[in-house]
Amino acid sequence: MRLLIYRYMAGRDAAMALSDIENAFTKVDRTTLYRTLKTFEEKGVVHQIEDGTGISKYALCEPGCNCSIEQDLHLHFHCSNCGETVCLTEHKIPQINLPEGYLAEDVNLVVTGLCEKCST
Amino acid sequence: MRLLIYRYMAGRDAAMALSDIENAFTKVDRTTLYRTLKTFEEKGVVHQIEDGTGISKYALCEPGCNCSIEQDLHLHFHCSNCGETVCLTEHKIPQINLPEGYLAEDVNLVVTGLCEKCST
DNA sequence: CTTAAAAATGCACTTCCATTGCATTGCTCA
DNA sequence: TGAGCAATGCAATGGAAGTGCATTTTTAAG
Ligand SMILES: [Mn+2]
Ligand SMILES: [Mn+2]
Ligand SMILES: [Zn+2]
Ligand SMILES: [Zn+2]
């Protein structure tokens, strides 16, 4: 099952909600997907994305990504038209300077707008 | 009621969830708070913050803020220890460059870590 | 002042997604 | 081969957001 889920995710280029995967595999239970994604995340296979919709999305990590150890540095784009959320892995989050006393552990940057498919 | 809610929010320096305000006013219904915050947001009195916890937070807008018209430019900090989310209104979100074809409408930048109270 | 319309509030209900307990099934390896 | 562990499925729970409708309160016209 994990292999099937992994292959499905590898074939998609946008981030997926749990329900997306659920619809692609009518025969598997939500719970299995939920726990599989949790395992994947712990093992650094996928990373969870909070795009502001309130629905967690998941995407495979790039080869060489070590987001299970340190922070995930690339930004995410959420299209307000088609609803898709994509990883812009080439676009790293710039250095943020914080006020005195603040200690950064993780940075999450989400740009909302129109994606390449919807902007024309 | 709106005045009471406004004053309560003005007295706090961290962003608040709906349940936070609910606990501060035991005599008011959740729905009233919900709709009040919605009205405040539409009128540009408060702005909603998605800090990645999945729970919407609200904070008063600064004088001169026009986030009801255009995007809210400052970043937000979420403390992983005390759970508080604060506006860093002096820290503007840097310019983000996107791939060809992408059109930005809004940017949300949340830094997670330890706040000034929790980092010592 | 009286009264009708509009706005605000409260209650109950729904929906949606995340999460967990527990029983069952499947797999691995001694 | 069988015991132990991992994976799966089912059912239930919980939390938060959102909505329909009745009631109360406010506003403003006459
Ligand atoms: Mn990503
Ligand atoms: Mn803010
Ligand atoms: Zn799109
Ligand atoms: Zn803190």
Side-chain angles (χ1 to χ4, degrees):
Chain A
M1 200 62 235
R2 291 181 178 178
L3 268 180
L4 291 176
I5 295 171
Y6 179 85
R7 290 186 191 130
Y8 174 72
M9 296 186 79
R12 301 237 32 188
D13 60 344
M16 286 145 283
L18 199 143
S19 60
D20 294 329
I21 311 178
E22 191 184 358
N23 293 335
F25 296 92
T26 48
K27 56 219 166 277
V28 67
D29 191 77
R30 276 181 218 78
T31 318
T32 302
L33 296 176
Y34 173 75
R35 286 195 260 239
T36 297
L37 289 172
K38 198 172 177 183
T39 304
F40 279 180
E41 193 188 4
E42 286 164 358
K43 302 301 181 184
V45 178
V46 306
H47 60 280
Q48 190 175 1
I49 305 164
E50 300 296 336
D51 59 11
T53 61
I55 301 172
S56 295
K57 306 284 170 62
Y58 299 87
L60 287 188
C61 291
E62 294 287 307
C65 166
N66 53 357
C67 68
S68 59
I69 301 166
E70 52 180 308
Q71 61 186 252
D72 187 27
L73 293 162
H74 63 274
L75 69 92
H76 293 115
F77 188 91
H78 175 70
C79 180
S80 56
N81 182 249
C82 66
E84 282 198 346
T85 297
V86 293
C87 296
L88 298 180
T89 50
E90 302 306 315
H91 290 68
K92 301 305 179 190
I93 297 175
Q95 178 66 28
I96 309 294
N97 52 340
L98 295 169
E100 193 68 29
Y102 285 82
L103 184 60
E105 290 170 349
D106 195 10
V107 184
N108 187 29
L109 176 54
V110 178
V111 179
T112 304
L114 295 176
C115 75
E116 50 180 352
K117 287 174 289 191
C118 297
S119 62
T120 52
Chain B
M1 201 59 235
R2 292 181 178 180
L3 268 180
L4 290 177
I5 295 171
Y6 180 86
R7 288 185 192 130
Y8 174 73
M9 295 186 80
R12 300 238 34 189
D13 59 345
M16 286 144 284
L18 198 143
S19 59
D20 294 330
I21 310 177
E22 192 184 358
N23 292 335
F25 297 91
T26 48
K27 55 218 166 282
V28 67
D29 191 76
R30 234 192 62 253
T31 315
T32 302
L33 296 176
Y34 173 75
R35 287 194 259 241
T36 298
L37 289 172
K38 198 173 177 181
T39 302
F40 279 0
E41 193 187 3
E42 286 164 358
K43 302 300 182 186
V45 178
V46 306
H47 60 280
Q48 189 173 3
I49 304 164
E50 301 296 338
D51 60 11
T53 61
I55 302 171
S56 296
K57 306 284 170 61
Y58 300 86
L60 287 187
C61 290
E62 293 287 306
C65 166
N66 53 357
C67 68
S68 59
I69 301 167
E70 51 181 310
Q71 62 186 252
D72 186 28
L73 293 163
H74 63 275
L75 69 92
H76 293 115
F77 188 90
H78 174 71
C79 179
S80 55
N81 182 247
C82 66
E84 283 198 347
T85 298
V86 293
C87 296
L88 298 180
T89 50
E90 303 306 316
H91 290 69
K92 302 305 180 191
I93 296 175
Q95 177 66 27
I96 309 293
N97 52 341
L98 294 169
E100 192 68 28
Y102 285 82
L103 186 60
E105 291 170 349
D106 194 11
V107 184
N108 186 31
L109 177 54
V110 179
V111 179
T112 304
L114 295 177
C115 74
E116 51 180 351
K117 286 173 290 192
C118 297
S119 63
T120 52

